[in-house]
Amino acid sequence: MSQQIDDPTEISPIDSLVESDCKDTEKVMKTLKSILINLDISEESLDEDTLLYKDLQLDSVEIIEIALGLKRQLGVNVKLETRQDLTLAQVCDKVKSAIACQDANHD
């Protein structure tokens, strides 16, 4: 009687979702950074914990430009005009949530 041993290199559905989520996060962050660089913000000042208002000193017009850039490049509407100062990671989370909702509505 032989026993089959699971292949350790096999990717489980959960691992696949995590890997997909990481790729989505990277894509959204790369797009967000690209938009910010186009607004003349230095790439060195951009990381996940960077705050839009406090750290980058963005005004409401620039926040709207970011939202419009995300809509143009990723096809998603995200409301960034809020009293809460968001980090780049929080903006990415909002974008990913909006994409997920948009995908769910198309199913």
Side-chain angles (χ1 to χ4, degrees):
M1 182 175 193
S2 67
Q3 183 178 358
Q4 186 175 355
I5 300 174
D6 290 335
D7 182 359
T9 60
E10 192 175 303
I11 297 175
S12 73
I14 292 174
D15 290 339
S16 180
L17 285 174
V18 169
E19 185 176 310
S20 173
D21 187 54
C22 289
K23 287 180 183 175
D24 291 346
T25 300
E26 288 174 23
K27 178 183 177 184
V28 173
M29 183 62 79
K30 185 177 179 181
T31 302
L32 178 58
K33 286 182 177 183
S34 171
I35 292 166
L36 290 166
I37 290 167
N38 286 335
L39 291 174
D40 293 327
I41 295 168
S42 70
E43 187 171 1
E44 296 79 36
S45 64
L46 302 176
D47 65 44
E48 290 184 353
D49 297 323
T50 302
L51 291 163
L52 296 178
Y53 294 114
K54 182 180 178 196
D55 297 331
L56 300 179
Q57 301 294 306
L58 297 178
D59 62 27
S60 59
V61 172
E62 291 165 319
I63 298 295
I64 292 170
E65 286 183 47
I66 294 167
L68 290 173
L70 291 168
K71 179 166 176 63
R72 273 193 302 273
Q73 294 184 37
L74 300 175
V76 65
N77 287 318
V78 181
K79 183 175 172 22
L80 300 177
E81 308 84 38
T82 173
R83 292 184 186 269
Q84 178 188 4
D85 199 358
L86 300 171
T87 65
L88 298 189
Q90 289 171 318
V91 173
C92 285
D93 289 343
K94 279 180 160 272
V95 170
K96 288 182 357 186
S97 292
I99 290 170
C101 286
Q102 191 174 24
D103 289 347
N105 289 335
H106 287 280
D107 288 343

